[in-house]
Amino acid sequence: MDIKLLKDKCGAEGYKKLEKLANDKLMKFVSGYAELCDPDSIFVRTDSREDAEYIRRKALENKEERPLATVGHTVHFDGYFDQGRDKGSTKYLLRPDEVLGSDIMSVDREKGFEEIHKLCENAMRGKEMYICFYCLGPTDSKLSISAVQITDSSYVSHSEDILCRSGYGQFLNLKGSGNFFRFVHSAGELENGVSKDSEKRRIYIDLQDEIVYSVNTQYAGNSIGLKKLAMRLAIKCASEEGWLTEHMFIMGVYGRKKRRITYFTGSFPSACGKTATAMLDGEKIIGDDLAYLRNINGRIRAVNVERGIFGIIQDVSEKSDPAIFEALTSPGEVIFSNVLVDRHDNPRWLGDARPEPDSGVNFAGEWAPGRKGPDGNAVLYAHKNARYTIRLRDLKNCDANLDNPEGVEVGGIIYGGRDSDTSAPVIQSFDWAHGILAQAAMIESETTAATLGEEGVRKFNLMANLDFLSIPIGRYIQNNLDIVQGVKKPPLIFHVNYFLRGKDGKYLNGIKDKHVWLKWMELRVHGEAKGIKTPIGHIPKYDDLKALFKDLLGKDYTREDYNEQFKLRIPECIAKIDRIKKIYHAKVFDTPHILMKTLDDQRQRLEDSRSKNGDYPAPDVF
Ligand code: SPV
Ligand code: MN
């Protein structure tokens, strides 16, 4: 451990901040990477306001962010080829005796280390290294995890400051223990402020030592240790300790006349309406992306891992998402990424319900209609995966329990997917196991711009968590089944699909209809609405929905619409079961036996119904 080098690079004040933590493992870690990455200087971030301010200032000074017209707003651009999560370059470092399964990418541990350390060598020359401390989950909570991030990107550090709870105090409380996650990130060589060597982008995950390395990328989903990278470590940790790390929002849904609030979590693949659900007008948000769930004294409780939102900005308008729109257009701390900056230094994004801009600057440089990118593809004025980063506390619908160290009790869990022709808008499982096996473990979704690669391809994505699994799929499913052991009243499980289309290709539901489904779920949790039992779960009764549509949206919901939306699509449901079974057979070596049995039983019920009622029975036949 080269303490002299560390002292030199940190300066006396910075070094004192590290020394105060009296943590040997931490010192070894930071001095090791200070030596390997060779930054010009090191800044150590505590929980103080001045330290956060320093990083914000740096992001502007070194041009990773630029100021926008509204006070507190900045914009960051990622490279042209760095606009989404890079699944192909994200791999687990595995020993030869470790197996995760064929759908989970890995690289030989020794070779991977060699490669990533080579890429880190002198990667921070000419730059400053930031050492930052965070807490995953509310501070002073038994449900939370401490984490340290090393990065040479002030944008990454600034984003984390908005997204994550500060954790220097947590590290003091560790009293020298080595129980924390570690992250090393370098944006690599920059050209015009963006990572230059995208072909050398690597995100390598060391589960054994709980370290994630990320190099030659800036896109937050690849670079922010505390978000999707920590999630992979936390999934393994949760599996070993008997709890769950999920790709879930947490929200509070009010009952009639706001007399009660019921908490729901929801897991949706990226860009399938997750944030939009958690942000529904009139309800309360705790988180939009990541949750830890535990069985505490026979109740399932959840905390938000983060304290901010890194949300998709496309289609956010005053009408569709009033609370977000207000936060994005009022003074306050917001980082916009990969939007267009117009002549007046205002951010513009796709679907902002304003006249299209005719010029500006975006992630591909100066933009004008017809502009082509370096790959010859037409460049829209903003990227489809353009995002905003804000604090939940800056939203007027933020729930008071956001930082409750005990979390909130979960009344219902919602799984969502994206398909145009199979799943009804909302359906409740028969029970916990049926929900996990026949809904969550069957999630399929068409790919979106949130990950690099082709869009619109139907992909298996159990619990919307496949991208982040660090344990074999079968074990993960079993953990989900087991978590309710000893829980008297497990959360109800629902499946939703906002993307159903009619024969003419048009969506069958309006953008706000999801609110009705949510209110129906709330009634179900309290036993105040009846369901109709179909072969695949309980669907709502027409009269209940009609009343909710009227109440909530002032809309006359017709029986024709109901029949079309909620008819059972038997051929498609059977085809889906067959597709999913094939995947489990071919790719998952540890599928729990009960999964196949549950799917076979469901298939049989569908076949029986088909022989009695035809391919597309309306709800009233059940
Ligand atoms: C997602 O894609 O699921 C996100 C954004 O929440 S990212 O940080 O890229 O994962
Ligand atoms: Mn996500």
Side-chain angles (χ1 to χ4, degrees), residues 85 219-222 227-228 247 270 274 289 310 387 450 468:
R85 268 190 284 117
Y219 173 69
N222 299 323
K227 204 167 178 59
K228 293 310 197 314
H247 193 202
S270 309
K274 188 154 136 245
D289 200 32
F310 174 60
R387 301 243 173 188
F468 315 109

Side-chain angles (χ1 to χ4, degrees), residues 102-116:
S102 64
D103 243 19
I104 301 178
M105 307 260 289
S106 63
V107 55
D108 174 79
R109 192 175 162 83
E110 291 310 316
K111 281 201 194 113
F113 269 133
E114 209 180 296
E115 186 186 2
I116 202 82

Side-chain angles (χ1 to χ4, degrees), residues 82-109:
D82 195 19
Q83 293 286 320
R85 268 190 284 117
D86 182 356
K87 295 207 275 180
S89 304
T90 305
K91 296 179 185 171
Y92 293 96
L93 300 168
L94 291 191
R95 293 188 313 266
D97 61 312
E98 289 175 304
V99 187
L100 288 179
S102 64
D103 243 19
I104 301 178
M105 307 260 289
S106 63
V107 55
D108 174 79
R109 192 175 162 83

Side-chain angles (χ1 to χ4, degrees), residues 346-514:
N346 284 315
R348 298 293 316 275
W349 55 90
L350 304 173
D352 62 9
R354 290 177 277 193
E356 284 204 8
D358 53 16
S359 65
V361 175
N362 71 7
F363 66 100
E366 284 290 335
W367 182 86
R371 168 92 159 77
K372 287 204 165 47
D375 53 1
N377 289 338
V379 176
L380 300 174
Y381 64 87
H383 197 274
K384 285 186 182 173
N385 195 30
R387 301 243 173 188
Y388 58 86
T389 305
I390 52 173
R391 265 189 203 93
L392 281 154
R393 285 264 173 247
D394 290 342
L395 296 172
K396 56 180 186 226
N397 55 331
C398 176
D399 190 73
N401 277 313
L402 170 63
D403 292 316
N404 184 342
E406 312 283 320
V408 293
E409 183 176 352
V410 181
I413 297 183
I414 309 165
Y415 290 98
R418 175 185 281 263
D419 77 61
S420 51
D421 60 2
T422 307
S423 312
V426 61
I427 185 156
Q428 184 196 332
S429 71
F430 297 126
D431 55 26
W432 180 267
H434 180 250
I436 294 299
L437 300 168
Q439 292 182 331
M442 287 240 293
I443 294 183
E444 280 183 318
S445 195
E446 289 147 21
T447 50
T448 65
T451 52
L452 302 178
E454 205 185 334
E455 281 177 57
V457 184
R458 185 152 48 194
K459 282 264 167 72
F460 165 66
N461 190 355
L462 80 160
M463 283 74 161
N465 213 359
L466 179 63
D467 288 0
F468 315 109
L469 287 194
S470 51
I471 54 175
I473 289 175
R475 188 185 313 158
Y476 173 67
I477 294 172
Q478 194 60 48
N479 293 345
N480 269 268
L481 292 171
D482 291 347
I483 193 168
V484 291
Q485 271 173 18
V487 176
K488 268 204 207 82
K489 203 175 157 261
L492 302 188
I493 298 184
F494 301 89
H495 184 272
V496 296
N497 175 24
Y498 304 153
F499 303 93
L500 205 53
R501 291 178 198 252
K503 279 202 196 73
D504 56 2
K506 290 208 181 100
Y507 286 117
L508 291 183
N509 289 104
I511 207 150
K512 301 258 175 190
D513 293 5
K514 54 173 90 69

Side-chain angles (χ1 to χ4, degrees), residues 305-336:
V305 178
E306 310 174 281
R307 67 164 180 186
I309 300 184
F310 174 60
I312 292 184
I313 202 165
Q314 180 170 1
D315 293 334
V316 171
S317 67
E318 196 159 13
K319 207 157 148 245
S320 69
D321 300 274
I324 298 180
F325 191 82
E326 190 181 323
L328 299 186
T329 47
S330 316
E333 201 173 341
V334 185
I335 308 174
F336 293 85

